[in-house]
């Protein structure tokens, strides 16, 4: 079958990424230049620095993606780019590059919603996945539980009212002095801690069966740590991290279980940076298996921000005729 290559570009936060994907499924290259080291000393992403770094790196990253894929600009069928949600300055760097390429090469420009990209990341390795399904997207900026009766049709069941799941990991890690990004740091230290040691509050969201809220847990962790430090002279980081991680995962599982009661699908997808968490994966996998359902999640390189997922989702949109015009603008607060 003839190749249909899409170049994906992702610059919504702190990864400068470009990828070439054939027919929306086969990843030919997936180049990610992470700015983590740049932002680490500030304990989080500094938007101004991020956009400047994207500008500096993007050309080079695109060049590497084409080279690794063994192709060149003339072979591309379209340019897919994240246009939101994300940091406005960072998004604009990717969008301007994508528009310029699409215009110069006279090929379609496809604006992609970053969250849709995360969901789509599951198809890169499970190309035969078919709805109906539930998808839990848990990243640094989002916690969305959705039901998809068909590809392209999404019904949001619940989202977070305050902090995203990954944001809670990052904030708790920062408070415990574990560094940035917080998710992997908490996961690592939690391995040597006791998840049952401290009980942390579950949010009471009344009749909202699928909603999320993580800021209360974060505050409870901070209060607990202060009290323990005063009483015992030190903060038991591993036990706190393990108890925190368990509470967040308990809540995520509760919501998925509630959604499966109302939407009894057999397939559940996990997407977004927090999907990299092995404790979450294994607990969710176990729960679903016991109920006769299956869990799908992307491998690590496709969990956190990458451009292969953007090229994949872009191909799907192109096939549906959903291309963008050259006046595509950044949409920092874009929702699904
Ligand atoms: O999807 P992503 O790369 O960027 C956004 O779209 O936000 O997600 C980044 C988030 C960060 O909050 C990071 O701490 C979290 O994903 N994360 C993790 C793990 N790896 C990354 N959270 C928990 N456990 C992990 N292993
Ligand atoms: Zn993301």
């Amino acid at each position: 079958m003839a190749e249909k290559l899409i170049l994906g570009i992702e610059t919504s936060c702190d990864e400068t990424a470009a990828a070439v994907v054939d027919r929306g499924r086969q990843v030919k290259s997936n180049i990610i230049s992470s700015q983590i080291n740049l932002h680490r000393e500030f304990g989080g992403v500094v938007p101004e620095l991020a956009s400047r770094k994207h500008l500096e790196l993007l050309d080079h990253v695109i060049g590497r993606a084409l080279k690794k894929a063994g192709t060149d600009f003339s072979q591309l069928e379209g340019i897919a780019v994240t246009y939101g949600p994300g940091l406005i300055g960072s998004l604009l760097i990717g969008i301007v590059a994508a528009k310029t390429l699409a215009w110069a090469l006279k090929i379609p420009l496809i604006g992609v919603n970053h969250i849709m990209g995360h969901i789509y990341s599951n198809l890169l390795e499970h190309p035969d996945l078919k709805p109906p399904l539930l998808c839990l997207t848990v990243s640094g900026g989002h916690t969305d539980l959705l039901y998809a009766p068909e590809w392209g049709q999404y019904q949001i069941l619940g989202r977070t009212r305050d902090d995203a799941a990954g944001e809670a990991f990052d904030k708790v890690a920062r408070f415990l002095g574990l560094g940035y990004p917080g998710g992997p740091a908490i996961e690592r230290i939690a391995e040597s801690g006791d998840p049952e040691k401290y009980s942390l509050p579950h949010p009471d969201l009344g009749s909202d069966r699928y909603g999320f809220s993580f800021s209360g847990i974060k505050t409870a962790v901070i209060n607990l740590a202060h009290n323990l430090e005063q009483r015992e002279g030190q903060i038991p980081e591993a036990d706190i991290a393990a108890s925190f991680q368990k509470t967040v995962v308990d809540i995520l599982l509760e919501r998925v279980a509630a959604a499966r009661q109302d939407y009894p699908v057999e397939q559940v997808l996990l997407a977004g940076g927090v999907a990299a968490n092995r404790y979450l994966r294994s607990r969710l996998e176990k729960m679903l298996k016991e109920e006769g359902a299956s869990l799908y999640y992307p491998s690590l390189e496709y969990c956190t921000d990458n451009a292969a997922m953007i090229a994949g989702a872009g191909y799907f949109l192109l096939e549906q005729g959903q291309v963008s015009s050259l006046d595509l603008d950044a949409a920092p607060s874009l929702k699904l």
Side-chain angles (χ1 to χ4, degrees):
M1 210 191 292
E3 285 189 325
K4 279 197 166 182
L5 301 180
I6 303 287
L7 172 70
I9 296 175
E10 156 64 44
T11 61
S12 67
C13 190
D14 62 342
E15 325 279 354
T16 314
V20 176
V21 176
D22 180 20
R23 276 167 285 135
R25 301 287 203 275
Q26 221 212 319
V27 181
K28 297 282 191 176
S29 63
N30 185 36
I31 306 295
I32 304 170
S33 176
S34 171
Q35 305 178 5
I36 282 177
N37 289 335
L38 173 71
H39 300 285
R40 184 168 280 137
E41 66 177 295
F42 303 100
V45 179
V46 184
E48 266 305 302
L49 289 183
S51 43
R52 255 187 264 164
K53 204 68 187 170
H54 286 310
L55 187 59
E56 191 182 315
L57 293 171
L58 187 55
D59 260 3
H60 181 64
V61 167
I62 291 174
R64 276 174 61 205
L66 291 172
K67 191 164 176 213
K68 176 100 189 286
T71 191
D72 58 41
F73 285 124
S74 69
Q75 304 301 311
L76 299 174
E77 303 273 333
I79 311 285
V81 64
T82 304
Y83 73 105
L87 303 168
I88 185 156
S90 293
L91 288 165
L92 282 170
I93 305 294
I95 293 172
V96 169
K99 280 185 188 175
T100 311
L101 287 172
W103 175 78
L105 299 167
K106 299 188 173 56
I107 56 176
L109 171 73
I110 311 138
V112 176
N113 181 318
H114 181 83
I115 309 168
M116 184 188 167
H118 273 303
I119 297 167
Y120 201 93
S121 64
N122 273 291
L123 276 164
L124 298 171
E125 292 161 296
H126 306 290
D128 299 325
L129 255 179
K130 294 222 164 44
L133 47 85
L134 288 168
C135 180
L136 176 65
T137 308
V138 270
S139 73
H142 304 274
T143 310
D144 295 325
L145 180 58
L146 64 84
Y147 168 64
E150 308 272 350
W151 284 131
Q153 280 182 31
Y154 308 109
Q155 191 178 329
I156 302 279
L157 303 180
R159 28 172 71 120
T160 184
R161 299 178 172 198
D162 38 57
D163 292 352
E167 191 178 355
F169 271 90
D170 292 335
K171 287 178 175 170
V172 166
R174 186 174 179 168
F175 173 76
L176 294 175
L178 301 175
Y180 168 85
I186 297 249
E187 180 174 10
R188 221 173 300 122
I189 194 170
E191 278 167 24
S192 58
D194 174 4
E196 308 288 345
K197 183 84 184 235
Y198 303 109
S199 97
L200 294 163
H202 282 216
D204 176 6
L205 303 181
S207 61
D208 181 0
R209 281 159 61 73
Y210 314 124
F212 300 93
S213 163
F214 295 107
S215 76
I217 304 164
K218 173 199 65 192
T219 310
V221 166
I222 293 173
N223 290 339
L224 172 70
H226 279 314
N227 287 341
L228 289 169
E229 191 175 27
Q230 274 174 2
R231 259 200 340 252
E232 297 168 14
Q234 59 175 18
I235 298 177
E237 285 150 5
D239 289 340
I240 291 183
S243 304
F244 163 75
Q245 179 175 259
K246 177 181 181 291
T247 309
V248 171
V249 168
D250 283 345
I251 292 165
L252 295 174
L253 262 59
E254 268 167 28
R255 299 299 189 256
V256 172
R260 278 201 68 250
Q261 279 180 2
D262 302 342
Y263 301 86
V265 299
E266 282 167 17
Q267 311 176 98
V268 178
L269 315 189
L270 198 54
V274 184
N277 188 286
R278 285 176 305 240
Y279 176 76
L280 167 61
R281 289 174 172 197
S282 71
R283 293 251 338 255
L284 190 51
E285 196 152 40
K286 184 161 171 282
M287 180 184 90
L288 291 170
K289 207 169 165 189
E290 283 166 8
E291 296 173 0
S294 318
L295 178 68
Y296 295 85
Y297 47 78
S299 39
L300 289 183
E301 73 175 304
Y302 303 125
C303 278
T304 42
D305 290 350
N306 67 87
M309 68 184 195
I310 302 303
Y315 178 77
F316 173 80
L317 292 171
L318 182 63
E319 291 281 283
Q320 309 259 310
Q322 294 188 46
V323 298
S324 307
S325 64
L326 286 176
D327 57 13
L328 177 72
D329 204 357
S333 322
L334 186 65
K335 299 249 186 302
L336 204 58

